[in-house]
Tab-separated table of all heavy atoms in Angstrom:
chain	number	residue	atom	x	y	z
P	1	MET	N	318.391	123.919	15.000
P	1	MET	CA	317.460	124.764	15.708
P	1	MET	C	316.456	125.420	14.777
P	1	MET	O	315.342	125.684	15.193
P	1	MET	CB	318.219	125.889	16.410
P	1	MET	CG	318.718	125.569	17.761
P	1	MET	SD	319.503	126.994	18.475
P	1	MET	CE	321.186	126.670	18.028
P	2	ILE	N	316.869	125.692	13.582
P	2	ILE	CA	316.023	126.459	12.678
P	2	ILE	C	314.899	125.604	12.090
P	2	ILE	O	313.737	125.981	12.164
P	2	ILE	CB	316.882	127.095	11.567
P	2	ILE	CG1	317.776	128.157	12.199
P	2	ILE	CG2	316.021	127.709	10.484
P	2	ILE	CD1	318.818	128.716	11.287
P	3	GLU	N	315.256	124.448	11.541
P	3	GLU	CA	314.237	123.597	10.937
P	3	GLU	C	313.208	123.097	11.943
P	3	GLU	O	312.008	123.153	11.651
P	3	GLU	CB	314.891	122.436	10.199
P	3	GLU	CG	315.579	122.861	8.919
P	3	GLU	CD	316.236	121.711	8.194
P	3	GLU	OE1	315.960	120.546	8.528
P	3	GLU	OE2	317.029	121.993	7.289
P	4	PRO	N	313.626	122.616	13.136
P	4	PRO	CA	312.616	122.170	14.105
P	4	PRO	C	311.655	123.286	14.530
P	4	PRO	O	310.517	123.016	14.914
P	4	PRO	CB	313.435	121.687	15.302
P	4	PRO	CG	314.762	121.335	14.737
P	4	PRO	CD	314.969	122.294	13.596
P	5	GLN	N	312.091	124.519	14.461
P	5	GLN	CA	311.242	125.655	14.808
P	5	GLN	C	310.330	126.038	13.641
P	5	GLN	O	309.487	126.921	13.773
P	5	GLN	CB	312.103	126.870	15.181
P	5	GLN	CG	312.991	126.684	16.376
P	5	GLN	CD	312.289	127.005	17.676
P	5	GLN	OE1	311.288	127.699	17.709
P	5	GLN	NE2	312.812	126.474	18.752
P	6	GLY	N	310.540	125.389	12.490
P	6	GLY	CA	309.743	125.700	11.307
P	6	GLY	C	310.120	127.018	10.659
P	6	GLY	O	309.310	127.630	9.970
P	7	LEU	N	311.364	127.445	10.864
P	7	LEU	CA	311.825	128.709	10.306
P	7	LEU	C	312.620	128.499	9.032
P	7	LEU	O	313.294	127.492	8.873
P	7	LEU	CB	312.734	129.434	11.315
P	7	LEU	CG	312.129	129.800	12.661
P	7	LEU	CD1	313.210	130.362	13.579
P	7	LEU	CD2	310.997	130.782	12.493
P	8	THR	N	312.554	129.464	8.153
P	8	THR	CA	313.440	129.475	6.994
P	8	THR	C	314.728	130.183	7.404
P	8	THR	O	314.785	130.839	8.445
P	8	THR	CB	312.806	130.250	5.821
P	8	THR	OG1	312.661	131.619	6.206
P	8	THR	CG2	311.459	129.663	5.425
P	9	VAL	N	315.731	130.067	6.591
P	9	VAL	CA	316.990	130.759	6.869
P	9	VAL	C	316.746	132.269	6.896
P	9	VAL	O	317.254	132.976	7.762
P	9	VAL	CB	318.077	130.390	5.841
P	9	VAL	CG1	319.330	131.220	6.036
P	9	VAL	CG2	318.420	128.913	5.938
P	10	ALA	N	315.939	132.754	5.973
P	10	ALA	CA	315.654	134.190	5.921
P	10	ALA	C	314.945	134.658	7.192
P	10	ALA	O	315.293	135.706	7.756
P	10	ALA	CB	314.813	134.520	4.692
P	11	THR	N	313.972	133.893	7.649
P	11	THR	CA	313.242	134.260	8.863
P	11	THR	C	314.152	134.192	10.085
P	11	THR	O	314.138	135.085	10.939
P	11	THR	CB	312.017	133.348	9.065
P	11	THR	OG1	311.184	133.430	7.914
P	11	THR	CG2	311.229	133.748	10.290
P	12	ALA	N	314.958	133.140	10.173
P	12	ALA	CA	315.884	132.998	11.297
P	12	ALA	C	316.893	134.136	11.309
P	12	ALA	O	317.225	134.668	12.370
P	12	ALA	CB	316.597	131.654	11.239
P	13	ALA	N	317.369	134.525	10.137
P	13	ALA	CA	318.309	135.641	10.050
P	13	ALA	C	317.669	136.913	10.586
P	13	ALA	O	318.297	137.674	11.321
P	13	ALA	CB	318.769	135.838	8.606
P	14	LYS	N	316.413	137.115	10.247
P	14	LYS	CA	315.701	138.297	10.735
P	14	LYS	C	315.560	138.255	12.255
P	14	LYS	O	315.789	139.257	12.934
P	14	LYS	CB	314.325	138.372	10.072
P	14	LYS	CG	313.611	139.660	10.268
P	14	LYS	CD	312.353	139.696	9.422
P	14	LYS	CE	311.767	141.096	9.424
P	14	LYS	NZ	310.602	141.199	8.552
P	15	VAL	N	315.209	137.092	12.792
P	15	VAL	CA	315.077	136.925	14.242
P	15	VAL	C	316.407	137.204	14.939
P	15	VAL	O	316.455	137.833	15.996
P	15	VAL	CB	314.576	135.501	14.582
P	15	VAL	CG1	314.698	135.196	16.063
P	15	VAL	CG2	313.145	135.306	14.120
P	16	LEU	N	317.504	136.738	14.330
P	16	LEU	CA	318.833	136.906	14.918
P	16	LEU	C	319.432	138.288	14.671
P	16	LEU	O	320.429	138.651	15.296
P	16	LEU	CB	319.783	135.837	14.381
P	16	LEU	CG	319.459	134.403	14.801
P	16	LEU	CD1	320.304	133.414	14.009
P	16	LEU	CD2	319.672	134.226	16.295
P	17	GLY	N	318.845	139.028	13.752
P	17	GLY	CA	319.375	140.353	13.448
P	17	GLY	C	320.644	140.316	12.622
P	17	GLY	O	321.517	141.173	12.782
P	18	VAL	N	320.755	139.311	11.756
P	18	VAL	CA	321.910	139.186	10.861
P	18	VAL	C	321.401	139.065	9.430
P	18	VAL	O	320.222	138.807	9.193
P	18	VAL	CB	322.795	137.963	11.211
P	18	VAL	CG1	323.357	138.082	12.615
P	18	VAL	CG2	322.038	136.657	11.063
P	19	SER	N	322.297	139.217	8.476
P	19	SER	CA	321.887	139.070	7.083
P	19	SER	C	321.695	137.588	6.752
P	19	SER	O	322.272	136.711	7.397
P	19	SER	CB	322.933	139.683	6.148
P	19	SER	OG	324.118	138.902	6.152
P	20	ARG	N	320.880	137.341	5.752
P	20	ARG	CA	320.669	135.963	5.322
P	20	ARG	C	321.969	135.319	4.852
P	20	ARG	O	322.277	134.188	5.219
P	20	ARG	CB	319.603	135.904	4.224
P	20	ARG	CG	319.237	134.467	3.874
P	20	ARG	CD	318.499	134.378	2.541
P	20	ARG	NE	318.182	133.016	2.212
P	20	ARG	CZ	319.055	132.075	1.864
P	20	ARG	NH1	320.344	132.358	1.829
P	20	ARG	NH2	318.673	130.850	1.578
P	21	PRO	N	322.791	136.034	4.044
P	21	PRO	CA	324.067	135.433	3.627
P	21	PRO	C	324.979	135.098	4.812
P	21	PRO	O	325.646	134.061	4.803
P	21	PRO	CB	324.697	136.497	2.725
P	21	PRO	CG	323.548	137.289	2.209
P	21	PRO	CD	322.539	137.305	3.332
P	22	ALA	N	325.001	135.957	5.825
P	22	ALA	CA	325.847	135.686	6.996
P	22	ALA	C	325.387	134.424	7.710
P	22	ALA	O	326.202	133.578	8.092
P	22	ALA	CB	325.829	136.871	7.955
P	23	LEU	N	324.071	134.272	7.890
P	23	LEU	CA	323.556	133.075	8.555
P	23	LEU	C	323.777	131.841	7.690
P	23	LEU	O	324.159	130.787	8.188
P	23	LEU	CB	322.071	133.235	8.890
P	23	LEU	CG	321.455	132.073	9.664
P	23	LEU	CD1	322.196	131.794	10.971
P	23	LEU	CD2	319.972	132.326	9.919
P	24	SER	N	323.576	131.973	6.405
P	24	SER	CA	323.792	130.855	5.485
P	24	SER	C	325.240	130.387	5.519
P	24	SER	O	325.523	129.180	5.527
P	24	SER	CB	323.393	131.267	4.072
P	24	SER	OG	323.548	130.196	3.181
P	25	THR	N	326.169	131.331	5.553
P	25	THR	CA	327.592	130.997	5.628
P	25	THR	C	327.901	130.234	6.910
P	25	THR	O	328.627	129.240	6.906
P	25	THR	CB	328.445	132.285	5.546
P	25	THR	OG1	328.194	132.907	4.294
P	25	THR	CG2	329.922	131.988	5.677
P	26	PHE	N	327.320	130.673	8.006
P	26	PHE	CA	327.505	129.996	9.292
P	26	PHE	C	326.901	128.595	9.255
P	26	PHE	O	327.547	127.609	9.644
P	26	PHE	CB	326.889	130.825	10.421
P	26	PHE	CG	326.777	130.087	11.709
P	26	PHE	CD1	327.914	129.695	12.406
P	26	PHE	CD2	325.542	129.759	12.230
P	26	PHE	CE1	327.808	128.992	13.600
P	26	PHE	CE2	325.428	129.064	13.414
P	26	PHE	CZ	326.568	128.673	14.100
P	27	LEU	N	325.669	128.482	8.783
P	27	LEU	CA	324.982	127.188	8.782
P	27	LEU	C	325.647	126.160	7.869
P	27	LEU	O	325.595	124.965	8.141
P	27	LEU	CB	323.514	127.376	8.370
P	27	LEU	CG	322.647	128.158	9.351
P	27	LEU	CD1	321.269	128.408	8.745
P	27	LEU	CD2	322.536	127.431	10.679
P	28	SER	N	326.293	126.638	6.819
P	28	SER	CA	326.958	125.723	5.893
P	28	SER	C	328.347	125.319	6.382
P	28	SER	O	329.017	124.507	5.748
P	28	SER	CB	327.060	126.356	4.509
P	28	SER	OG	327.957	127.444	4.533
P	29	GLY	N	328.784	125.900	7.496
P	29	GLY	CA	330.083	125.550	8.047
P	29	GLY	C	331.244	126.311	7.439
P	29	GLY	O	332.398	126.006	7.705
P	30	ARG	N	330.938	127.312	6.636
P	30	ARG	CA	332.006	128.098	6.028
P	30	ARG	C	332.526	129.180	6.957
P	30	ARG	O	333.519	129.827	6.650
P	30	ARG	CB	331.546	128.704	4.705
P	30	ARG	CG	331.303	127.636	3.635
P	30	ARG	CD	330.774	128.248	2.388
P	30	ARG	NE	329.464	128.827	2.728
P	30	ARG	CZ	328.663	129.419	1.879
P	30	ARG	NH1	329.003	129.556	0.626
P	30	ARG	NH2	327.505	129.899	2.263
P	31	SER	N	331.850	129.388	8.072
P	31	SER	CA	332.359	130.289	9.106
P	31	SER	C	332.053	129.680	10.464
P	31	SER	O	331.097	128.918	10.605
P	31	SER	CB	331.730	131.690	8.996
P	31	SER	OG	330.376	131.669	9.382
P	32	GLY	N	332.890	130.004	11.422
P	32	GLY	CA	332.698	129.491	12.767
P	32	GLY	C	331.728	130.350	13.556
P	32	GLY	O	331.297	131.412	13.110
P	33	LEU	N	331.419	129.891	14.730
P	33	LEU	CA	330.523	130.606	15.622
P	33	LEU	C	331.288	131.710	16.344
P	33	LEU	O	332.268	131.444	17.037
P	33	LEU	CB	329.937	129.637	16.654
P	33	LEU	CG	329.004	130.233	17.695
P	33	LEU	CD1	327.707	130.691	17.034
P	33	LEU	CD2	328.723	129.207	18.776
P	34	SER	N	330.849	132.933	16.173
P	34	SER	CA	331.453	134.050	16.891
P	34	SER	C	330.736	134.225	18.222
P	34	SER	O	329.621	133.737	18.421
P	34	SER	CB	331.330	135.337	16.070
P	34	SER	OG	329.964	135.740	15.996
P	35	GLY	N	331.375	134.951	19.107
P	35	GLY	CA	330.739	135.250	20.381
P	35	GLY	C	329.436	136.008	20.190
P	35	GLY	O	328.438	135.741	20.869
P	36	MET	N	329.424	136.945	19.252
P	36	MET	CA	328.216	137.734	19.005
P	36	MET	C	327.085	136.853	18.471
P	36	MET	O	325.935	136.988	18.895
P	36	MET	CB	328.509	138.868	18.025
P	36	MET	CG	327.309	139.768	17.789
P	36	MET	SD	326.584	140.480	19.294
P	36	MET	CE	327.834	141.667	19.719
P	37	MET	N	327.403	135.947	17.563
P	37	MET	CA	326.359	135.055	17.029
P	37	MET	C	325.849	134.138	18.136
P	37	MET	O	324.645	133.884	18.230
P	37	MET	CB	326.884	134.224	15.855
P	37	MET	CG	325.835	133.306	15.251
P	37	MET	SD	324.462	134.162	14.467
P	37	MET	CE	325.154	134.428	12.844
P	38	ALA	N	326.739	133.654	18.991
P	38	ALA	CA	326.315	132.806	20.109
P	38	ALA	C	325.374	133.570	21.032
P	38	ALA	O	324.361	133.022	21.493
P	38	ALA	CB	327.532	132.309	20.882
P	39	LEU	N	325.668	134.823	21.282
P	39	LEU	CA	324.800	135.643	22.127
P	39	LEU	C	323.441	135.854	21.465
P	39	LEU	O	322.400	135.763	22.120
P	39	LEU	CB	325.469	136.988	22.423
P	39	LEU	CG	324.695	137.942	23.323
P	39	LEU	CD1	324.415	137.311	24.685
P	39	LEU	CD2	325.458	139.243	23.475
P	40	ARG	N	323.448	136.100	20.177
P	40	ARG	CA	322.182	136.282	19.449
P	40	ARG	C	321.339	135.009	19.492
P	40	ARG	O	320.123	135.064	19.681
P	40	ARG	CB	322.463	136.685	18.002
P	40	ARG	CG	323.008	138.078	17.854
P	40	ARG	CD	323.453	138.323	16.401
P	40	ARG	NE	324.125	139.575	16.249
P	40	ARG	CZ	323.556	140.699	15.824
P	40	ARG	NH1	322.276	140.708	15.515
P	40	ARG	NH2	324.262	141.800	15.715
P	41	ILE	N	321.983	133.853	19.326
P	41	ILE	CA	321.265	132.573	19.381
P	41	ILE	C	320.697	132.350	20.778
P	41	ILE	O	319.556	131.902	20.933
P	41	ILE	CB	322.178	131.413	18.943
P	41	ILE	CG1	322.501	131.541	17.443
P	41	ILE	CG2	321.531	130.063	19.252
P	41	ILE	CD1	323.586	130.606	16.961
P	42	GLU	N	321.488	132.673	21.804
P	42	GLU	CA	321.009	132.532	23.177
P	42	GLU	C	319.750	133.364	23.404
P	42	GLU	O	318.754	132.870	23.951
P	42	GLU	CB	322.090	132.956	24.159
P	42	GLU	CG	321.649	132.878	25.617
P	42	GLU	CD	322.723	133.332	26.577
P	42	GLU	OE1	322.808	134.557	26.821
P	42	GLU	OE2	323.481	132.473	27.049
P	43	LYS	N	319.774	134.607	22.978
P	43	LYS	CA	318.636	135.494	23.176
P	43	LYS	C	317.411	135.040	22.381
P	43	LYS	O	316.289	135.137	22.864
P	43	LYS	CB	319.007	136.920	22.805
P	43	LYS	CG	319.940	137.573	23.801
P	43	LYS	CD	320.276	138.984	23.387
P	43	LYS	CE	321.166	139.655	24.423
P	43	LYS	NZ	321.468	141.049	24.044
P	44	ALA	N	317.642	134.554	21.173
P	44	ALA	CA	316.523	134.188	20.303
P	44	ALA	C	315.952	132.802	20.593
P	44	ALA	O	314.741	132.593	20.525
P	44	ALA	CB	316.955	134.266	18.838
P	45	PHE	N	316.832	131.846	20.926
P	45	PHE	CA	316.385	130.457	21.027
P	45	PHE	C	316.585	129.829	22.403
P	45	PHE	O	316.191	128.695	22.638
P	45	PHE	CB	317.088	129.599	19.971
P	45	PHE	CG	316.786	130.033	18.560
P	45	PHE	CD1	317.743	130.688	17.805
P	45	PHE	CD2	315.543	129.801	17.995
P	45	PHE	CE1	317.481	131.093	16.505
P	45	PHE	CE2	315.260	130.210	16.700
P	45	PHE	CZ	316.226	130.853	15.951
P	46	GLY	N	317.247	130.546	23.303
P	46	GLY	CA	317.400	130.050	24.666
P	46	GLY	C	318.530	129.069	24.898
P	46	GLY	O	318.664	128.543	25.995
P	47	VAL	N	319.348	128.822	23.896
P	47	VAL	CA	320.502	127.934	24.070
P	47	VAL	C	321.637	128.775	24.638
P	47	VAL	O	322.007	129.801	24.060
P	47	VAL	CB	320.935	127.292	22.736
P	47	VAL	CG1	322.116	126.371	22.949
P	47	VAL	CG2	319.773	126.547	22.100
P	48	ARG	N	322.179	128.351	25.756
P	48	ARG	CA	323.188	129.159	26.451
P	48	ARG	C	324.422	129.414	25.591
P	48	ARG	O	324.936	128.514	24.936
P	48	ARG	CB	323.582	128.495	27.758
P	48	ARG	CG	322.430	128.508	28.765
P	48	ARG	CD	322.837	127.959	30.094
P	48	ARG	NE	324.082	128.523	30.573
P	48	ARG	CZ	324.179	129.501	31.477
P	48	ARG	NH1	323.099	130.016	31.995
P	48	ARG	NH2	325.366	129.930	31.862
P	49	MET	N	324.866	130.645	25.641
P	49	MET	CA	326.031	131.081	24.879
P	49	MET	C	327.267	130.253	25.217
P	49	MET	O	328.014	129.851	24.322
P	49	MET	CB	326.289	132.564	25.166
P	49	MET	CG	327.466	133.145	24.471
P	49	MET	SD	327.650	134.870	24.992
P	49	MET	CE	329.101	135.307	24.079
P	50	ASP	N	327.496	129.996	26.499
P	50	ASP	CA	328.691	129.242	26.876
P	50	ASP	C	328.641	127.818	26.344
P	50	ASP	O	329.666	127.261	25.951
P	50	ASP	CB	328.928	129.274	28.389
P	50	ASP	CG	327.736	128.816	29.208
P	50	ASP	OD1	326.585	129.111	28.839
P	50	ASP	OD2	327.963	128.166	30.242
P	51	THR	N	327.464	127.236	26.280
P	51	THR	CA	327.314	125.898	25.695
P	51	THR	C	327.675	125.926	24.215
P	51	THR	O	328.415	125.063	23.727
P	51	THR	CB	325.876	125.383	25.875
P	51	THR	OG1	325.585	125.305	27.267
P	51	THR	CG2	325.678	124.025	25.224
P	52	LEU	N	327.162	126.908	23.514
P	52	LEU	CA	327.449	127.035	22.088
P	52	LEU	C	328.929	127.242	21.827
P	52	LEU	O	329.508	126.637	20.910
P	52	LEU	CB	326.648	128.195	21.491
P	52	LEU	CG	325.134	128.023	21.479
P	52	LEU	CD1	324.454	129.336	21.141
P	52	LEU	CD2	324.734	126.930	20.505
P	53	MET	N	329.569	128.075	22.641
P	53	MET	CA	330.988	128.346	22.450
P	53	MET	C	331.833	127.111	22.765
P	53	MET	O	332.834	126.856	22.091
P	53	MET	CB	331.434	129.546	23.288
P	53	MET	CG	330.776	130.865	22.874
P	53	MET	SD	330.998	131.315	21.133
P	53	MET	CE	332.749	131.645	21.098
P	54	ARG	N	331.432	126.336	23.767
P	54	ARG	CA	332.152	125.081	24.053
P	54	ARG	C	332.001	124.099	22.894
P	54	ARG	O	332.960	123.405	22.521
P	54	ARG	CB	331.650	124.447	25.350
P	54	ARG	CG	332.266	125.051	26.594
P	54	ARG	CD	332.044	124.184	27.830
P	54	ARG	NE	330.649	123.892	28.085
P	54	ARG	CZ	329.833	124.663	28.799
P	54	ARG	NH1	330.285	125.778	29.338
P	54	ARG	NH2	328.581	124.316	28.990
P	55	MET	N	330.811	124.037	22.314
P	55	MET	CA	330.597	123.168	21.158
P	55	MET	C	331.482	123.592	19.995
P	55	MET	O	332.085	122.751	19.320
P	55	MET	CB	329.122	123.183	20.752
P	55	MET	CG	328.214	122.511	21.751
P	55	MET	SD	326.456	122.795	21.452
P	55	MET	CE	326.219	121.949	19.907
P	56	GLN	N	331.572	124.906	19.751
P	56	GLN	CA	332.424	125.409	18.670
P	56	GLN	C	333.882	125.074	18.935
P	56	GLN	O	334.604	124.638	18.033
P	56	GLN	CB	332.266	126.923	18.497
P	56	GLN	CG	333.120	127.510	17.388
P	56	GLN	CD	332.715	127.044	16.005
P	56	GLN	OE1	331.542	127.101	15.657
P	56	GLN	NE2	333.660	126.589	15.204
P	57	SER	N	334.316	125.240	20.162
P	57	SER	CA	335.703	124.931	20.521
P	57	SER	C	336.002	123.450	20.319
P	57	SER	O	337.045	123.084	19.759
P	57	SER	CB	335.972	125.336	21.969
P	57	SER	OG	337.293	125.047	22.322
P	58	SER	N	335.094	122.593	20.747
P	58	SER	CA	335.278	121.144	20.567
P	58	SER	C	335.349	120.781	19.086
P	58	SER	O	336.170	119.957	18.672
P	58	SER	CB	334.137	120.371	21.229
P	58	SER	OG	334.180	120.525	22.617
P	59	TYR	N	334.508	121.407	18.291
P	59	TYR	CA	334.506	121.175	16.848
P	59	TYR	C	335.837	121.614	16.233
P	59	TYR	O	336.440	120.879	15.441
P	59	TYR	CB	333.346	121.941	16.205
P	59	TYR	CG	333.321	121.869	14.705
P	59	TYR	CD1	332.890	120.720	14.057
P	59	TYR	CD2	333.727	122.953	13.931
P	59	TYR	CE1	332.870	120.650	12.666
P	59	TYR	CE2	333.711	122.896	12.552
P	59	TYR	CZ	333.279	121.742	11.925
P	59	TYR	OH	333.271	121.674	10.554
P	60	ASP	N	336.316	122.793	16.616
P	60	ASP	CA	337.589	123.302	16.099
P	60	ASP	C	338.747	122.387	16.473
P	60	ASP	O	339.624	122.096	15.646
P	60	ASP	CB	337.867	124.711	16.618
P	60	ASP	CG	336.904	125.755	16.067
P	60	ASP	OD1	336.248	125.489	15.035
P	60	ASP	OD2	336.799	126.835	16.687
P	61	ILE	N	338.757	121.900	17.708
P	61	ILE	CA	339.805	120.986	18.168
P	61	ILE	C	339.775	119.698	17.356
P	61	ILE	O	340.813	119.217	16.883
P	61	ILE	CB	339.655	120.708	19.674
P	61	ILE	CG1	340.019	121.960	20.471
P	61	ILE	CG2	340.514	119.516	20.101
P	61	ILE	CD1	339.617	121.900	21.931
P	62	ALA	N	338.589	119.140	17.160
P	62	ALA	CA	338.464	117.890	16.400
P	62	ALA	C	338.931	118.069	14.957
P	62	ALA	O	339.611	117.200	14.405
P	62	ALA	CB	337.015	117.392	16.429
P	63	ARG	N	338.578	119.187	14.342
P	63	ARG	CA	339.016	119.458	12.968
P	63	ARG	C	340.534	119.577	12.893
P	63	ARG	O	341.172	119.038	11.978
P	63	ARG	CB	338.376	120.730	12.437
P	63	ARG	CG	336.970	120.520	11.972
P	63	ARG	CD	336.367	121.733	11.324
P	63	ARG	NE	337.274	122.349	10.367
P	63	ARG	CZ	337.203	123.609	9.970
P	63	ARG	NH1	336.272	124.393	10.456
P	63	ARG	NH2	338.044	124.094	9.092
P	64	THR	N	341.118	120.266	13.842
P	64	THR	CA	342.580	120.436	13.855
P	64	THR	C	343.278	119.104	14.048
P	64	THR	O	344.250	118.787	13.352
P	64	THR	CB	342.989	121.434	14.951
P	64	THR	OG1	342.332	122.685	14.697
P	64	THR	CG2	344.490	121.639	14.979
P	65	ARG	N	342.802	118.319	14.984
P	65	ARG	CA	343.400	116.991	15.207
P	65	ARG	C	343.235	116.110	13.984
P	65	ARG	O	344.147	115.338	13.638
P	65	ARG	CB	342.763	116.330	16.432
P	65	ARG	CG	343.287	116.893	17.705
P	65	ARG	CD	342.915	116.032	18.883
P	65	ARG	NE	343.568	116.561	20.077
P	65	ARG	CZ	343.014	116.634	21.243
P	65	ARG	NH1	341.789	116.197	21.427
P	65	ARG	NH2	343.684	117.128	22.269
P	66	GLY	N	342.100	116.195	13.336
P	66	GLY	CA	341.867	115.409	12.132
P	66	GLY	C	342.838	115.750	11.031
P	66	GLY	O	343.292	114.878	10.289
P	67	ARG	N	343.189	117.006	10.907
P	67	ARG	CA	344.176	117.428	9.910
P	67	ARG	C	345.558	116.868	10.236
P	67	ARG	O	346.316	116.499	9.343
P	67	ARG	CB	344.237	118.956	9.827
P	67	ARG	CG	343.082	119.543	9.118
P	67	ARG	CD	343.298	121.030	8.881
P	67	ARG	NE	341.999	121.659	8.849
P	67	ARG	CZ	341.620	122.684	9.558
P	67	ARG	NH1	342.473	123.259	10.389
P	67	ARG	NH2	340.416	123.180	9.477
P	68	GLU	N	345.900	116.847	11.512
P	68	GLU	CA	347.199	116.326	11.935
P	68	GLU	C	347.293	114.829	11.743
P	68	GLU	O	348.332	114.298	11.392
P	68	GLU	CB	347.453	116.672	13.413
P	68	GLU	CG	347.819	118.109	13.634
P	68	GLU	CD	349.177	118.457	13.022
P	68	GLU	OE1	350.154	117.735	13.270
P	68	GLU	OE2	349.228	119.458	12.276
P	69	ASP	N	346.192	114.124	12.008
P	69	ASP	CA	346.179	112.661	11.907
P	69	ASP	C	346.095	112.196	10.453
P	69	ASP	O	346.493	111.077	10.158
P	69	ASP	CB	344.992	112.085	12.695
P	69	ASP	CG	345.112	112.324	14.185
P	69	ASP	OD1	346.243	112.582	14.652
P	69	ASP	OD2	344.084	112.271	14.874
P	70	GLY	N	345.584	113.039	9.572
P	70	GLY	CA	345.364	112.653	8.181
P	70	GLY	C	346.580	112.802	7.388
P	70	GLY	O	347.030	112.330	6.472
């Protein structure tokens, strides 16, 4: 969402009302999507919070299954 909008991480963090390190940690996959971050993304970019949370849940499930299968 950030690159197609032509935003830098710093600018996107400002739009979302979070620190640059917090957004960077999220974007790099070192932290999951919280409900609050999903709400901020919904307000800023129009992507529905419930869609984002379902995507996060699906990702978490796939990662967990991958660990079990590996």
Side-chain angles (χ1 to χ4, degrees):
M1 273 183 266
I2 292 171
E3 288 180 14
Q5 298 273 340
L7 300 174
T8 64
V9 174
T11 303
K14 192 172 190 176
V15 168
L16 293 170
V18 299
S19 70
R20 187 196 179 290
L23 184 57
S24 182
T25 298
F26 168 66
L27 293 173
S28 68
R30 293 176 296 182
S31 71
L33 178 68
S34 68
M36 183 55 72
M37 181 65 86
L39 181 59
R40 290 172 187 263
I41 292 169
E42 178 181 85
K43 288 180 178 182
F45 298 107
V47 181
R48 292 185 48 100
M49 179 183 179
D50 54 323
T51 299
L52 294 168
M53 295 304 292
R54 278 195 304 272
M55 291 169 66
Q56 180 66 50
S57 180
S58 293
Y59 175 76
D60 292 342
I61 290 167
R63 280 185 46 202
T64 302
R65 283 194 174 140
R67 285 189 209 127
E68 285 293 310
D69 294 340

